Protein backbone atom coordinates (compact mmCIF):
# COMPACT_ATOMS: atom_id res chain seq x y z
CA UNK A 1 0.00 0.00 0.00
CA UNK A 2 0.96 3.65 0.18
CA UNK A 3 3.23 5.23 2.74
CA UNK A 4 6.16 4.27 4.91
CA UNK A 5 5.81 2.80 8.34
CA UNK A 6 9.00 2.27 10.31
CA UNK A 7 7.30 0.30 13.07
CA UNK A 8 5.05 -2.17 11.27
CA UNK A 9 5.85 -5.89 11.47
CA UNK A 10 7.03 -7.82 8.46
CA UNK A 11 4.51 -10.54 7.76
CA UNK A 12 5.85 -13.62 5.96
CA UNK A 13 2.30 -14.89 5.68
CA UNK A 14 1.75 -12.19 3.08
CA UNK A 15 3.20 -14.60 0.53
CA UNK A 16 -0.03 -16.57 0.94
CA UNK A 17 -1.92 -13.58 -0.44
CA UNK A 18 0.02 -13.91 -3.67
CA UNK A 19 -0.76 -17.62 -3.73
CA UNK A 20 -4.47 -16.91 -3.34
CA UNK A 21 -4.38 -14.37 -6.15
CA UNK A 22 -2.59 -16.89 -8.32
CA UNK A 23 -5.29 -19.50 -7.72
CA UNK A 24 -8.05 -17.00 -8.36
CA UNK A 25 -7.35 -16.89 -12.09
CA UNK A 26 -4.64 -18.51 -14.14
CA UNK A 27 -2.63 -15.96 -16.09
CA UNK A 28 -1.30 -17.44 -19.31
CA UNK A 29 -1.00 -14.40 -21.60
CA UNK A 30 -0.16 -10.73 -21.20
CA UNK A 31 -3.75 -9.97 -22.23
CA UNK A 32 -4.89 -11.72 -19.03
CA UNK A 33 -3.04 -8.99 -17.10
CA UNK A 34 -5.38 -6.32 -18.56
CA UNK A 35 -2.53 -4.21 -19.87
CA UNK A 36 -2.97 -1.20 -22.12
CA UNK A 37 -2.83 -1.74 -25.87
CA UNK A 38 0.38 0.27 -26.26
CA UNK A 39 2.20 -1.86 -23.69
CA UNK A 40 0.94 -5.08 -25.27
CA UNK A 41 2.17 -3.77 -28.63
CA UNK A 42 5.61 -2.99 -27.17
CA UNK A 43 5.88 -6.41 -25.51
CA UNK A 44 5.00 -8.04 -28.81
CA UNK A 45 7.72 -6.01 -30.54
CA UNK A 46 10.20 -7.24 -27.90
CA UNK A 47 9.32 -10.86 -28.66
CA UNK A 48 7.50 -11.62 -25.40
CA UNK A 49 4.90 -14.33 -25.95
CA UNK A 50 3.66 -15.12 -22.46
CA UNK A 51 4.44 -13.83 -18.96
CA UNK A 52 6.95 -15.61 -16.78
CA UNK A 53 5.85 -16.69 -13.28
CA UNK A 54 7.31 -13.60 -11.60
CA UNK A 55 5.56 -11.38 -14.14
CA UNK A 56 2.23 -13.20 -13.69
CA UNK A 57 2.36 -12.78 -9.93
CA UNK A 58 4.08 -9.43 -9.40
CA UNK A 59 2.44 -7.29 -12.11
CA UNK A 60 -1.15 -7.58 -10.76
CA UNK A 61 0.02 -6.78 -7.22
CA UNK A 62 2.05 -3.78 -8.38
CA UNK A 63 -0.83 -2.52 -10.50
CA UNK A 64 -2.99 -2.64 -7.35
CA UNK A 65 -0.50 -0.35 -5.64
CA UNK A 66 0.76 -2.96 -3.18
CA UNK A 67 4.29 -3.02 -1.79
CA UNK A 68 5.98 -6.17 -3.06
CA UNK A 69 9.04 -8.26 -2.19
CA UNK A 70 9.70 -10.55 -5.15
CA UNK A 71 12.19 -13.37 -4.82
CA UNK A 72 12.78 -15.13 -8.10
CA UNK A 73 15.52 -16.95 -9.91
CA UNK A 74 17.99 -14.84 -11.83
CA UNK A 75 16.96 -14.44 -15.45
CA UNK A 76 13.21 -14.95 -14.99
CA UNK A 77 12.00 -11.58 -16.25
CA UNK A 78 12.06 -9.39 -13.13
CA UNK A 79 12.89 -6.23 -15.08
CA UNK A 80 9.83 -6.52 -17.29
CA UNK A 81 7.71 -7.28 -14.22
CA UNK A 82 8.33 -3.94 -12.54
CA UNK A 83 8.85 -2.11 -15.85
CA UNK A 84 5.38 -2.99 -17.13
CA UNK A 85 3.76 -2.01 -13.82
CA UNK A 86 5.55 1.34 -13.69
CA UNK A 87 4.71 2.28 -17.27
CA UNK A 88 1.10 1.18 -16.87
CA UNK A 89 0.88 3.55 -13.90
CA UNK A 90 2.41 6.60 -15.64
CA UNK A 91 -0.18 7.66 -18.18
CA UNK A 92 1.70 10.52 -19.86
CA UNK A 93 5.02 12.40 -19.65
CA UNK A 94 5.56 15.04 -16.98
CA UNK A 95 8.55 17.16 -15.98
CA UNK A 96 9.58 15.60 -12.64
CA UNK A 97 10.53 11.95 -12.04
CA UNK A 98 7.70 9.79 -10.79
CA UNK A 99 9.52 6.45 -10.59
CA UNK A 100 12.99 5.55 -9.30
CA UNK A 101 14.73 2.24 -9.96
CA UNK A 102 17.93 1.58 -8.01
CA UNK A 103 20.46 -0.93 -9.39
CA UNK A 104 23.80 -2.03 -7.92
CA UNK A 105 26.00 -1.54 -11.00
CA UNK A 106 26.12 0.84 -13.94
CA UNK A 107 25.85 -2.10 -16.39
CA UNK A 108 22.60 -3.20 -14.80
CA UNK A 109 21.32 0.38 -14.62
CA UNK A 110 21.94 0.82 -18.34
CA UNK A 111 20.31 -2.48 -19.26
CA UNK A 112 17.26 -1.84 -17.06
CA UNK A 113 16.88 1.62 -18.61
CA UNK A 114 17.09 0.14 -22.11
CA UNK A 115 14.44 -2.50 -21.40
CA UNK A 116 12.08 -0.05 -19.68
CA UNK A 117 12.56 2.31 -22.64
CA UNK A 118 11.47 -0.46 -25.03
CA UNK A 119 8.38 -1.22 -22.94
CA UNK A 120 7.50 2.50 -22.96
CA UNK A 121 8.05 2.72 -26.71
CA UNK A 122 4.50 3.83 -27.57
CA UNK A 123 3.87 5.97 -24.50
CA UNK A 124 6.53 8.62 -24.95
CA UNK A 125 7.87 8.42 -21.40
CA UNK A 126 11.42 9.60 -20.80
CA UNK A 127 13.81 7.23 -19.05
CA UNK A 128 17.18 8.42 -17.74
CA UNK A 129 20.03 6.19 -16.48
CA UNK A 130 22.14 7.90 -13.80
CA UNK A 131 25.38 6.21 -12.82
CA UNK A 132 28.97 6.85 -11.81
CA UNK A 133 31.71 6.96 -14.40
CA UNK A 134 29.77 9.36 -16.64
CA UNK A 135 30.03 13.15 -16.59
CA UNK A 136 27.40 14.94 -14.53
CA UNK A 137 26.57 17.39 -17.32
CA UNK A 138 24.55 15.10 -19.65
CA UNK A 139 22.57 13.84 -16.67
CA UNK A 140 21.84 17.37 -15.44
CA UNK A 141 20.74 18.52 -18.89
CA UNK A 142 18.36 15.56 -19.18
CA UNK A 143 16.90 16.29 -15.74
CA UNK A 144 16.31 19.91 -16.72
CA UNK A 145 14.45 18.84 -19.87
CA UNK A 146 12.20 16.55 -17.84
CA UNK A 147 12.35 12.85 -16.92
CA UNK A 148 9.63 10.38 -15.97
CA UNK A 149 11.66 7.37 -14.81
CA UNK A 150 15.16 7.44 -13.31
CA UNK A 151 17.25 4.26 -13.24
CA UNK A 152 20.25 4.92 -11.02
CA UNK A 153 23.10 3.51 -9.00
CA UNK A 154 22.69 4.59 -5.36
CA UNK A 155 25.89 6.64 -5.05
CA UNK A 156 25.37 8.85 -8.09
CA UNK A 157 21.70 9.45 -7.28
CA UNK A 158 22.68 10.45 -3.75
CA UNK A 159 25.21 12.92 -5.21
CA UNK A 160 22.49 14.61 -7.26
CA UNK A 161 20.18 14.70 -4.25
CA UNK A 162 22.76 16.28 -1.96
CA UNK A 163 23.62 18.90 -4.57
CA UNK A 164 19.94 19.73 -5.03
CA UNK A 165 20.10 18.85 -8.73
CA UNK A 166 17.16 16.44 -8.78
CA UNK A 167 13.61 17.00 -7.50
CA UNK A 168 12.07 13.75 -6.21
CA UNK A 169 9.00 15.32 -4.64
CA UNK A 170 6.68 13.68 -7.20
CA UNK A 171 8.05 10.14 -6.95
CA UNK A 172 5.25 7.59 -6.72
CA UNK A 173 7.18 4.33 -7.13
CA UNK A 174 10.55 3.07 -5.87
CA UNK A 175 12.04 -0.21 -7.08
CA UNK A 176 15.18 -1.83 -5.70
CA UNK A 177 16.49 -4.22 -8.34
CA UNK A 178 18.93 -6.89 -7.15
CA UNK A 179 18.42 -5.55 -3.65
CA UNK A 180 20.56 -8.18 -1.94
CA UNK A 181 23.54 -7.36 -4.14
CA UNK A 182 23.23 -3.66 -3.39
CA UNK A 183 23.49 -4.39 0.31
CA UNK A 184 26.30 -6.89 -0.22
CA UNK A 185 28.27 -4.24 -2.12
CA UNK A 186 28.00 -1.87 0.82
CA UNK A 187 25.26 0.43 -0.46
CA UNK A 188 22.87 0.05 2.46
CA UNK A 189 23.51 3.57 3.82
CA UNK A 190 23.08 5.06 0.34
CA UNK A 191 19.87 3.11 -0.25
CA UNK A 192 18.43 4.16 3.10
CA UNK A 193 19.39 7.79 2.41
CA UNK A 194 17.41 7.68 -0.85
CA UNK A 195 14.42 5.92 0.72
CA UNK A 196 14.29 8.32 3.67
CA UNK A 197 14.18 11.37 1.35
CA UNK A 198 11.40 10.18 -0.95
CA UNK A 199 7.73 11.09 -0.42
CA UNK A 200 6.05 9.03 2.28
CA UNK A 201 3.11 8.28 -0.03
CA UNK A 202 4.76 5.93 -2.49
CA UNK A 203 4.83 2.33 -3.58
CA UNK A 204 8.00 0.31 -2.88
CA UNK A 205 9.08 -2.96 -4.50
CA UNK A 206 12.16 -5.09 -3.88
CA UNK A 207 13.29 -7.57 -6.52
CA UNK A 208 16.03 -9.97 -5.60
CA UNK A 209 17.37 -13.47 -6.15
CA UNK A 210 17.76 -14.00 -2.41
CA UNK A 211 16.02 -12.50 0.62
CA UNK A 212 18.56 -12.34 3.46
CA UNK A 213 17.75 -10.79 6.83
CA UNK A 214 19.04 -7.28 5.90
CA UNK A 215 16.40 -7.18 3.14
CA UNK A 216 13.70 -8.07 5.66
CA UNK A 217 15.01 -5.38 8.01
CA UNK A 218 14.75 -2.86 5.18
CA UNK A 219 11.19 -3.92 4.44
CA UNK A 220 10.18 -3.55 8.08
CA UNK A 221 11.55 -0.04 8.15
CA UNK A 222 10.42 1.38 4.81
CA UNK A 223 7.59 -0.75 3.38
CA UNK A 224 3.90 -0.98 4.20
CA UNK A 225 2.59 -4.53 4.62
CA UNK A 226 4.62 -5.95 1.72
CA UNK A 227 3.37 -9.02 -0.09
CA UNK A 228 6.07 -11.61 -0.68
CA UNK A 229 6.15 -13.29 -4.07
CA UNK A 230 8.50 -16.22 -3.54
CA UNK A 231 9.33 -18.15 -6.66
CA UNK A 232 12.63 -19.54 -5.40
CA UNK A 233 13.55 -21.04 -2.07
CA UNK A 234 16.72 -21.31 -0.02
CA UNK A 235 17.28 -24.82 -1.36
CA UNK A 236 16.33 -24.07 -4.96
CA UNK A 237 18.23 -20.98 -6.06
CA UNK A 238 19.78 -22.07 -9.33
CA UNK A 239 17.99 -22.19 -12.66
CA UNK A 240 16.85 -25.80 -13.30
CA UNK A 241 17.62 -25.51 -17.03
CA UNK A 242 21.34 -25.08 -16.27
CA UNK A 243 23.42 -28.26 -16.21
CA UNK A 244 26.08 -27.85 -13.52
CA UNK A 245 29.46 -29.59 -13.53
CA UNK A 246 32.81 -29.28 -11.78
CA UNK A 247 36.27 -30.48 -12.71
CA UNK A 248 39.11 -31.06 -10.26
CA UNK A 249 42.38 -29.75 -11.67
CA UNK A 250 45.53 -28.23 -10.12
CA UNK A 251 45.69 -24.48 -10.53
CA UNK A 252 48.72 -24.47 -12.82
CA UNK A 253 46.80 -26.65 -15.30
CA UNK A 254 43.56 -24.66 -15.20
CA UNK A 255 44.21 -22.69 -18.37
CA UNK A 256 44.82 -25.86 -20.37
CA UNK A 257 41.70 -27.40 -18.80
CA UNK A 258 39.63 -24.35 -19.73
CA UNK A 259 40.86 -24.47 -23.33
CA UNK A 260 40.03 -28.15 -23.65
CA UNK A 261 36.54 -27.65 -22.23
CA UNK A 262 35.82 -24.73 -24.54
CA UNK A 263 36.78 -26.94 -27.49
CA UNK A 264 34.85 -30.02 -26.39
CA UNK A 265 31.75 -28.13 -25.24
CA UNK A 266 31.72 -26.05 -28.43
CA UNK A 267 30.53 -23.04 -26.48
CA UNK A 268 28.86 -20.68 -28.93
CA UNK A 269 28.68 -17.73 -26.54
CA UNK A 270 30.22 -18.02 -23.10
CA UNK A 271 31.28 -16.05 -20.03
CA UNK A 272 34.40 -16.91 -18.04
CA UNK A 273 34.42 -15.57 -14.49
CA UNK A 274 37.68 -14.99 -12.64
CA UNK A 275 38.53 -13.60 -9.23
CA UNK A 276 40.50 -10.44 -10.01
CA UNK A 277 40.97 -7.82 -12.69
CA UNK A 278 44.50 -9.01 -13.39
CA UNK A 279 43.35 -12.59 -13.75
CA UNK A 280 40.62 -11.46 -16.14
CA UNK A 281 43.08 -9.51 -18.27
CA UNK A 282 45.55 -12.40 -18.41
CA UNK A 283 42.85 -14.96 -19.24
CA UNK A 284 41.47 -12.77 -22.04
CA UNK A 285 44.97 -12.30 -23.44
CA UNK A 286 45.68 -16.05 -23.28
CA UNK A 287 42.41 -16.90 -25.03
CA UNK A 288 43.09 -14.34 -27.74
CA UNK A 289 46.58 -15.77 -28.27
CA UNK A 290 44.97 -19.15 -28.94
CA UNK A 291 42.64 -17.79 -31.59
CA UNK A 292 39.50 -17.20 -29.55
CA UNK A 293 37.41 -14.05 -29.93
CA UNK A 294 37.58 -12.92 -26.29
CA UNK A 295 37.58 -9.64 -24.35
CA UNK A 296 37.93 -8.66 -20.71
CA UNK A 297 35.32 -6.81 -18.63
CA UNK A 298 36.01 -5.37 -15.18
CA UNK A 299 35.66 -2.22 -13.13
CA UNK A 300 39.13 -0.87 -13.93
CA UNK A 301 38.07 -0.18 -17.52
CA UNK A 302 36.60 3.12 -18.66
CA UNK A 303 32.85 3.26 -19.11
CA UNK A 304 33.26 3.74 -22.87
CA UNK A 305 35.46 0.64 -23.08
CA UNK A 306 33.04 -1.44 -21.02
CA UNK A 307 30.13 -0.39 -23.22
CA UNK A 308 32.13 -1.22 -26.36
CA UNK A 309 32.94 -4.69 -25.03
CA UNK A 310 29.34 -5.38 -24.00
CA UNK A 311 28.05 -4.15 -27.36
CA UNK A 312 30.41 -6.52 -29.15
CA UNK A 313 29.31 -9.42 -26.97
CA UNK A 314 25.60 -8.72 -27.47
CA UNK A 315 26.00 -8.35 -31.23
CA UNK A 316 27.91 -11.62 -31.54
CA UNK A 317 31.30 -10.18 -32.49
CA UNK A 318 32.75 -11.75 -29.32
CA UNK A 319 32.40 -15.42 -28.46
CA UNK A 320 33.90 -15.25 -24.97
CA UNK A 321 33.53 -12.57 -22.31
CA UNK A 322 36.01 -12.82 -19.42
CA UNK A 323 34.64 -10.95 -16.42
CA UNK A 324 34.91 -10.30 -12.72
CA UNK A 325 31.88 -10.61 -10.46
CA UNK A 326 31.08 -6.94 -11.07
CA UNK A 327 29.57 -8.15 -14.33
CA UNK A 328 27.59 -11.04 -12.87
CA UNK A 329 24.61 -8.87 -11.92
CA UNK A 330 24.84 -6.53 -14.88
CA UNK A 331 25.03 -8.86 -17.86
CA UNK A 332 21.75 -9.64 -19.55
CA UNK A 333 22.67 -11.14 -22.91
CA UNK A 334 20.54 -13.64 -24.78
CA UNK A 335 21.82 -17.05 -25.84
CA UNK A 336 24.75 -17.39 -23.45
CA UNK A 337 25.31 -21.15 -23.71
CA UNK A 338 28.08 -21.65 -21.13
CA UNK A 339 29.39 -20.09 -17.93
CA UNK A 340 32.89 -21.08 -16.83
CA UNK A 341 34.02 -20.41 -13.26
CA UNK A 342 37.81 -20.30 -13.54
CA UNK A 343 37.81 -20.43 -9.76
CA UNK A 344 35.19 -21.06 -7.09
CA UNK A 345 33.21 -17.90 -6.27
CA UNK A 346 33.80 -16.42 -2.80
CA UNK A 347 30.24 -17.12 -1.69
CA UNK A 348 27.37 -19.43 -2.76
CA UNK A 349 25.29 -16.36 -3.66
CA UNK A 350 27.99 -15.28 -6.10
CA UNK A 351 27.77 -18.75 -7.63
CA UNK A 352 24.02 -18.34 -8.12
CA UNK A 353 24.43 -14.96 -9.80
CA UNK A 354 27.31 -16.10 -12.01
CA UNK A 355 25.59 -19.13 -13.46
CA UNK A 356 22.34 -17.18 -13.82
CA UNK A 357 23.87 -15.62 -16.95
CA UNK A 358 22.98 -18.80 -18.87
CA UNK A 359 19.77 -20.82 -19.06
CA UNK A 360 17.73 -17.61 -19.02
CA UNK A 361 13.96 -17.53 -19.54
CA UNK A 362 13.58 -21.25 -20.09
CA UNK A 363 16.62 -21.82 -22.31
CA UNK A 364 19.20 -24.46 -21.46
CA UNK A 365 22.80 -23.80 -20.52
CA UNK A 366 25.85 -25.26 -18.84
CA UNK A 367 27.76 -24.00 -15.80
CA UNK A 368 31.27 -25.38 -15.40
CA UNK A 369 33.52 -24.79 -12.37
CA UNK A 370 37.23 -25.55 -12.18
CA UNK A 371 38.17 -26.71 -8.68
CA UNK A 372 41.54 -27.13 -7.01
CA UNK A 373 42.04 -30.58 -5.42
CA UNK A 374 41.70 -29.08 -1.94
CA UNK A 375 38.40 -27.29 -2.65
CA UNK A 376 35.91 -30.18 -2.49
CA UNK A 377 34.40 -28.74 0.68
CA UNK A 378 33.47 -25.50 -1.09
CA UNK A 379 31.52 -27.43 -3.73
CA UNK A 380 29.60 -29.27 -1.02
CA UNK A 381 28.77 -25.95 0.68
CA UNK A 382 27.45 -24.51 -2.60
CA UNK A 383 25.29 -27.59 -3.14
CA UNK A 384 23.88 -27.37 0.39
CA UNK A 385 23.21 -23.63 0.24
CA UNK A 386 21.64 -23.58 -3.23
CA UNK A 387 20.05 -26.99 -3.51
CA UNK A 388 21.96 -27.55 -6.72
CA UNK A 389 23.39 -30.88 -7.83
CA UNK A 390 26.85 -30.24 -9.26
CA UNK A 391 28.21 -33.32 -11.02
CA UNK A 392 31.91 -34.13 -11.03
CA UNK A 393 33.38 -34.73 -14.48
CA UNK A 394 36.83 -35.56 -15.83
CA UNK A 395 38.81 -33.09 -17.92
CA UNK A 396 38.81 -34.35 -21.52
CA UNK A 397 42.08 -35.76 -22.80
CA UNK A 398 43.68 -34.44 -25.98
CA UNK A 399 42.44 -37.58 -27.73
CA UNK A 400 38.87 -36.75 -26.69
CA UNK A 401 39.33 -33.15 -27.81
CA UNK A 402 40.55 -34.36 -31.20
CA UNK A 403 37.65 -36.81 -31.50
CA UNK A 404 35.18 -34.03 -30.76
CA UNK A 405 36.81 -31.80 -33.36
CA UNK A 406 36.54 -34.61 -35.93
CA UNK A 407 32.85 -35.05 -35.13
CA UNK A 408 32.23 -31.35 -35.66
CA UNK A 409 34.25 -31.33 -38.86
CA UNK A 410 32.31 -34.34 -40.16
CA UNK A 411 29.07 -32.54 -39.40
CA UNK A 412 30.20 -29.46 -41.29
CA UNK A 413 31.23 -31.63 -44.24
CA UNK A 414 27.87 -33.40 -44.27
CA UNK A 415 26.03 -30.06 -44.32
CA UNK A 416 28.23 -28.80 -47.18
CA UNK A 417 27.56 -31.98 -49.21
CA UNK A 418 23.84 -31.47 -48.71
CA UNK A 419 24.07 -27.82 -49.76
CA UNK A 420 25.82 -28.82 -52.99
CA UNK A 421 27.79 -25.60 -53.46
CA UNK A 422 31.20 -27.28 -53.76
CA UNK A 423 31.19 -27.69 -57.58
CA UNK A 424 34.18 -25.40 -58.35
CA UNK A 425 36.47 -27.66 -56.30
CA UNK A 426 35.50 -30.90 -58.02
CA UNK A 427 38.05 -30.42 -60.81
CA UNK A 428 40.80 -29.96 -58.20
CA UNK A 429 39.90 -33.26 -56.52
CA UNK A 430 39.65 -35.12 -59.84
CA UNK A 431 43.12 -33.90 -60.79
CA UNK A 432 44.59 -35.13 -57.49
CA UNK A 433 42.93 -38.55 -57.67
CA UNK A 434 45.02 -39.35 -60.75
CA UNK A 435 48.02 -39.76 -58.41
CA UNK A 436 46.46 -40.27 -54.98
CA UNK A 437 43.83 -42.41 -53.34
CA UNK A 438 40.51 -40.44 -53.17
CA UNK A 439 40.19 -41.16 -49.45
CA UNK A 440 43.70 -39.76 -48.85
CA UNK A 441 42.76 -36.63 -50.79
CA UNK A 442 39.62 -36.13 -48.69
CA UNK A 443 41.52 -36.75 -45.44
CA UNK A 444 44.24 -34.27 -46.41
CA UNK A 445 41.57 -31.67 -47.26
CA UNK A 446 39.97 -32.10 -43.86
CA UNK A 447 43.34 -31.85 -42.11
CA UNK A 448 44.01 -28.62 -44.02
CA UNK A 449 40.61 -27.26 -43.04
CA UNK A 450 41.07 -28.12 -39.36
CA UNK A 451 44.57 -26.62 -39.29
CA UNK A 452 46.01 -29.74 -37.63
CA UNK A 453 49.34 -31.28 -38.61
CA UNK A 454 48.62 -34.67 -37.05
CA UNK A 455 51.10 -36.41 -34.79
CA UNK A 456 50.96 -37.21 -31.13
CA UNK A 457 50.10 -34.69 -28.44
CA UNK A 458 50.33 -34.93 -24.68
CA UNK A 459 47.37 -36.94 -23.43
CA UNK A 460 47.95 -36.67 -19.71
CA UNK A 461 44.61 -36.44 -17.85
CA UNK A 462 44.82 -33.11 -16.05
CA UNK A 463 42.61 -34.02 -13.12
CA UNK A 464 44.77 -37.05 -12.24
CA UNK A 465 47.99 -35.07 -11.79
CA UNK A 466 49.43 -35.47 -8.30
CA UNK A 467 48.63 -32.53 -6.04
CA UNK A 468 52.29 -32.46 -4.91
CA UNK A 469 53.19 -31.15 -8.38
CA UNK A 470 51.84 -27.72 -7.39
CA UNK A 471 54.45 -25.02 -7.41
CA UNK A 472 54.70 -23.09 -4.14
CA UNK A 473 52.15 -20.27 -4.27
CA UNK A 474 51.38 -17.30 -2.03
CA UNK A 475 48.14 -17.63 -0.09
CA UNK A 476 45.33 -15.15 0.27
CA UNK A 477 45.00 -13.42 3.64
CA UNK A 478 43.02 -15.35 6.21
CA UNK A 479 39.31 -14.71 6.05
CA UNK A 480 36.06 -15.89 7.49
CA UNK A 481 33.32 -16.36 4.95
CA UNK A 482 30.41 -18.59 4.01
CA UNK A 483 32.85 -21.47 3.42
CA UNK A 484 34.29 -21.15 6.95
CA UNK A 485 37.48 -19.73 8.47
CA UNK A 486 40.83 -20.76 7.11
CA UNK A 487 44.28 -19.53 6.29
CA UNK A 488 44.31 -18.27 2.73
CA UNK A 489 41.36 -17.87 0.39
CA UNK A 490 40.81 -21.60 0.60
CA UNK A 491 43.15 -23.95 2.46
CA UNK A 492 46.32 -23.91 0.42
CA UNK A 493 45.56 -20.66 -1.39
CA UNK A 494 46.69 -19.65 -4.86
CA UNK A 495 47.86 -16.50 -6.60
CA UNK A 496 46.02 -14.14 -8.89
CA UNK A 497 48.16 -14.85 -11.91
CA UNK A 498 48.25 -17.53 -14.58
CA UNK A 499 50.90 -20.27 -14.80
CA UNK A 500 54.12 -19.10 -16.34
CA UNK A 501 53.63 -15.45 -15.37
CA UNK A 502 55.29 -13.57 -12.51
CA UNK A 503 53.17 -12.91 -9.43
CA UNK A 504 51.40 -9.55 -9.42
CA UNK A 505 49.97 -7.53 -6.60
CA UNK A 506 46.55 -5.92 -6.49
CA UNK A 507 43.74 -6.51 -8.89
CA UNK A 508 40.71 -6.77 -6.65
CA UNK A 509 37.49 -5.60 -8.22
CA UNK A 510 35.54 -2.69 -6.80
CA UNK A 511 32.22 -2.89 -8.53
CA UNK A 512 30.12 -0.47 -10.49
CA UNK A 513 30.08 2.72 -8.45
CA UNK A 514 32.78 4.82 -6.83
CA UNK A 515 31.14 4.38 -3.42
CA UNK A 516 31.83 0.67 -3.32
CA UNK A 517 32.24 -0.54 0.23
CA UNK A 518 32.61 -4.27 0.85
CA UNK A 519 30.26 -5.63 3.49
CA UNK A 520 31.76 -6.67 6.80
CA UNK A 521 31.28 -10.37 6.24
CA UNK A 522 32.42 -10.49 2.63
CA UNK A 523 35.83 -9.93 1.07
CA UNK A 524 36.31 -7.27 -1.59
CA UNK A 525 36.16 -9.31 -4.74
CA UNK A 526 35.77 -8.98 -8.50
Amino acid sequence: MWGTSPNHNFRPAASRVAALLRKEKAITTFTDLHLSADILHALSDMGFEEPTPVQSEAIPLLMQGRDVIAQALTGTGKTAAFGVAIIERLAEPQRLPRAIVLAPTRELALQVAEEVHRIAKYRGLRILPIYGGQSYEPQLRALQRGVDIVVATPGRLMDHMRQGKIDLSEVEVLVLDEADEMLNMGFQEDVEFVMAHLPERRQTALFSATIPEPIRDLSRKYMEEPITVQLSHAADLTVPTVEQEYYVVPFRHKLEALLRLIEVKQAERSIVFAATRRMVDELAESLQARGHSAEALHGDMSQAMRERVMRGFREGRLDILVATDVAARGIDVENVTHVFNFDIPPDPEYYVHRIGRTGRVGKTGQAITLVNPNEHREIRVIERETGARIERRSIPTMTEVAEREREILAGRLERRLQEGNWGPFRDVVEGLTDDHDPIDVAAAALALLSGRQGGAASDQPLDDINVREFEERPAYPARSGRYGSRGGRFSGGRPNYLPGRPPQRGGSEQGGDRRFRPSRNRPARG
Side-chain angles (χ1 to χ4, degrees), residues 1 4-18 66-71 179 195 204-208 210-230 232:
M1 293 294 289
T4 59
S5 177
N7 298 316
H8 79 79
N9 294 320
F10 177 80
R11 296 189 291 185
S15 60
R16 292 197 294 269
V17 177
R66 301 300 303 266
D67 282 6
V68 171
I69 299 173
Q71 179 182 4
M195 297 180 82
T204 303
L206 307 182
F207 284 76
S208 187
T210 61
I211 309 293
E213 190 58 31
I215 297 293
R216 300 188 186 278
D217 290 341
L218 205 64
S219 72
R220 282 188 283 265
K221 190 173 182 181
Y222 293 103
M223 299 179 73
E224 180 68 26
E225 298 184 346
I227 294 179
T228 301
V229 174
Q230 189 168 17
S232 61

Side-chain angles (χ1 to χ4, degrees), residues 344-352 382 479 481-483 521-522:
I344 289 186
D347 188 285
E349 288 183 17
Y350 275 75
Y351 179 83
V352 171
I382 290 173
R479 77 179 183 97
R482 295 291 292 279
Y483 299 126
N521 62 350
R522 186 186 304 275

